[in-house]
Amino acid sequence: MVIFEFKIAFKNLKKHLLRTILSISGITIGITTIIIILSIGGAIEGLVLGQLDNLGSDNLFVEVKVPTGKNETKNAMAIAQGVTITTLKSEDTDEVETLPNVDFAYSATTGQGVLTYRSEEKKVMYWASTPEIPAINGFKIENGRFFTDEEDKGIARVVVLGYNAAEELFGREDPIGKSVKLDKLSFKVIGVAEERGIEMFTNVDDNIHIPLKTAQKLLLGTDHILFMGIRMKDEKLLNETVANIQSVIRKRHQINDPDKDDFAVRTLEESAEILGTVTFGIQALLLVIGAISLIV
């Protein structure tokens, strides 16, 4: 009986050969797509978590936050819609640095511009920070040096190029000491960073670094920052340090209700959870697309 039914099924498949081929192809493509998506999702998550581990468990980060309580989704949507928080300042970082378990910290913001050398130009993201950023973020200088605290306070027009930025603008020419333009302002190249590749979905070798006050006064026309990085002396005192940072900034910002915080203190564990949620969402979306192709 089973053999008879199999013969009938095979006969029908053979009779409608084109439909059979299309059906088998669709199923194969759908299953293959789902397998590839799962593999890519797992690889991306592993890569991101590995990069977070490289930053070190003794680092903390403070970033601006729209006062939405604990609703991270609303916070992300508000920032994506262009809501700007201007209350986080370098003075907050200075105050945080006085805490007993804080070794040192940096203040930073970001911007975009066009970097030009002679006839070559490149769109770049610039990281504007105080000089402590390499020690916390872990990047190293391949050629030249990083800028100093005196150059930051003096609004010096100096720049450290990412590896790709230096390659694309200068080729084999030594960029140290040369003058480049960021938008309409001239900057002296004082360093080139080591090659690092993709980090947090961004090719950091395309970025450049300039002093924070230079960016604030000459490029952005602002006095606030977007985030700060903090190196702890003893990572075992994590919870106590986070509480102290929150207390200091709330006092400076005159905040009595934690649900009205205009900042967030991020540990590496929290950052990993947030990125895990993002990668899971992307993976789920791709799986739905793969499932639709399988159904079709």
Side-chain angles (χ1 to χ4, degrees), residues 29-229:
I29 292 171
I31 294 173
T32 303
T33 300
I34 290 174
I35 292 172
I36 292 173
I37 289 169
L38 289 172
S39 300
I40 293 175
I44 291 174
E45 186 174 2
L47 177 63
V48 169
L49 293 178
Q51 290 172 349
L52 283 175
D53 287 339
N54 290 335
L55 286 175
S57 57
D58 54 351
N59 290 337
L60 294 171
F61 298 91
V62 177
E63 61 187 26
V64 295
K65 174 181 173 293
V66 179
T68 54
K70 296 181 180 180
N71 194 321
E72 295 292 346
T73 302
K74 284 186 178 180
N75 174 57
M77 289 179 62
I79 291 176
Q81 290 169 358
V83 176
T84 303
I85 303 298
T86 62
T87 48
L88 196 64
K89 306 290 178 68
S90 294
E91 290 77 11
D92 295 322
T93 309
D94 295 338
E95 194 74 21
V96 166
E97 275 195 300
T98 66
L99 294 172
N101 193 43
V102 172
D103 195 2
F104 52 86
Y106 70 79
S107 302
T109 190
T110 61
Q112 291 183 318
V114 177
L115 192 67
T116 306
Y117 177 67
R118 294 178 180 171
S119 61
E120 300 294 330
E121 65 177 39
K122 177 179 176 61
K123 289 183 179 179
V124 295
M125 173 176 284
Y126 56 83
W127 284 61
S129 71
T130 49
E132 298 83 3
I133 191 171
I136 296 178
N137 282 21
F139 73 87
K140 298 179 181 179
I141 300 297
E142 180 179 84
N143 187 17
R145 63 177 178 85
F146 205 71
F147 51 81
T148 64
D149 188 52
E150 289 73 20
E151 286 171 324
D152 177 40
K153 291 178 180 178
I155 316 179
R157 289 191 283 182
V158 293
V159 60
V160 175
L161 304 179
Y163 187 85
N164 286 351
E167 284 276 307
E168 291 183 29
L169 290 181
F170 289 91
R172 296 184 179 181
E173 184 180 353
D174 184 4
I176 304 301
K178 301 295 193 307
S179 178
V180 297
K181 280 192 174 182
L182 179 57
D183 292 337
K184 296 181 180 180
L185 290 179
S186 295
F187 283 76
K188 179 182 178 182
V189 179
I190 60 171
V192 177
E194 281 189 355
E195 187 174 9
R196 294 168 66 190
I198 305 294
E199 294 183 7
M200 308 303 173
F201 311 108
T202 303
N203 192 335
V204 296
D205 294 329
D206 289 328
N207 299 338
I208 64 173
H209 293 263
I210 61 176
L212 175 64
K213 291 190 182 300
T214 303
Q216 288 177 327
K217 300 294 184 182
L218 303 181
L219 293 172
L220 299 172
T222 62
D223 65 348
H224 63 275
I225 61 175
L226 292 180
F227 56 95
M228 67 175 80

Side-chain angles (χ1 to χ4, degrees), residues 194-264:
E194 281 189 355
E195 187 174 9
R196 294 168 66 190
I198 305 294
E199 294 183 7
M200 308 303 173
F201 311 108
T202 303
N203 192 335
V204 296
D205 294 329
D206 289 328
N207 299 338
I208 64 173
H209 293 263
I210 61 176
L212 175 64
K213 291 190 182 300
T214 303
Q216 288 177 327
K217 300 294 184 182
L218 303 181
L219 293 172
L220 299 172
T222 62
D223 65 348
H224 63 275
I225 61 175
L226 292 180
F227 56 95
M228 67 175 80
I230 301 160
R231 171 68 58 81
M232 293 183 292
K233 295 176 181 177
D234 186 355
E235 61 187 84
K236 295 178 182 177
L237 300 177
L238 171 64
N239 293 334
E240 178 184 333
T241 306
V242 170
N244 288 339
I245 292 171
Q246 291 171 333
S247 178
V248 163
I249 300 179
R250 282 173 187 155
K251 184 178 180 180
R252 284 187 51 81
H253 293 194
Q254 299 180 347
I255 296 172
N256 298 317
D257 183 358
D259 284 342
K260 295 182 180 180
D261 281 350
D262 53 9
F263 68 96

Side-chain angles (χ1 to χ4, degrees), residues 275-290:
L275 287 170
T277 302
V278 172
T279 55
F280 175 79
I282 294 172
Q283 195 171 354
L285 177 62
L286 293 175
L287 279 174
V288 169
I289 296 172

